[in-house]
Amino acid sequence: AILSIAIIAVYFVMRKVNHRYQKVALIMAVTTVINFLIYCFGVDETAGWIRLVQIVEAVLGLISRRHMYTAHSEVLVSVDYALSEKWMGLWQWYIRITVAMIASIVAILILPIIGMLVFIAVGIGFIVISIVEIVYFCRMMVDFRTYAKNLAA
């Protein structure tokens, strides 16, 4: 929860750079509050309505991620066009992996072993996307430092 609050604060400050960051911060704040309330009240995970809440959270997470990737892309377009395009490509990979996750869950019900293998592969895919995000963030920092030095010179 503390890390979520810190990330929300960073995106809220970044709203000055691109309006989409404010949307990311607000959506993350809503999902963090929902998760906190569920944790505090010890909601039974098998309750039917909790599945609906989880689906809503997943959709909000996708919307948030879309705004985040688009904001990164828009901020970078005048500084590093290639990296800007890579952020949007990463969004496409994220959607593909998400669809594969849904398919793997369905496949587990029909063909358990194949479904589990796909599920594991999708998990690895999400890890790879997270690593690529970190690499892109680092490249963004380098690009903006270089851009700031060039402006100062």
Side-chain angles (χ1 to χ4, degrees), residues 129-142:
I129 285 176
S130 296
I131 292 168
V132 171
E133 279 182 3
I134 292 168
V135 170
Y136 288 178
F137 277 126
C138 290
R139 288 189 53 199
M140 280 177 67
M141 288 189 318
V142 169

Side-chain angles (χ1 to χ4, degrees), residues 6 9 33 37 41 43 47 58 65 67-68 92-94 101-102 107 120 122 124 141:
V33 167
L37 291 174
F41 292 112
V43 176
R65 185 131 338 221
H67 282 295
M68 181 183 70
Q92 293 169 354
W93 276 106
Y94 190 84
M101 175 66 80
I102 294 166
I120 291 168
V122 167
I124 293 169
M141 288 189 318

Side-chain angles (χ1 to χ4, degrees), residues 40-101:
C40 283
F41 292 112
V43 176
D44 180 18
E45 292 289 325
T46 61
W49 65 271
I50 200 74
R51 299 290 176 236
L52 179 63
V53 170
Q54 289 171 333
I55 290 170
V56 169
E57 279 186 325
V59 170
L60 287 174
L62 281 173
I63 293 168
S64 174
R65 185 131 338 221
R66 169 67 175 173
H67 282 295
M68 181 183 70
Y69 286 162
T70 303
H72 294 334
S73 179
E74 289 173 355
V75 166
L76 277 168
V77 76
S78 63
V79 178
D80 186 344
Y81 184 78
L83 186 55
S84 171
E85 289 295 310
K86 287 181 180 182
W87 274 110
M88 293 315 297
L90 191 60
W91 166 248
Q92 293 169 354
W93 276 106
Y94 190 84
I95 288 297
R96 289 179 185 133
I97 296 292
T98 301
V99 169
M101 175 66 80

Side-chain angles (χ1 to χ4, degrees), residues 2-12 25 28:
I2 295 172
L3 181 60
S4 294
I5 293 169
I7 292 170
I8 291 165
V10 168
Y11 281 125
F12 192 72
M28 287 181 73

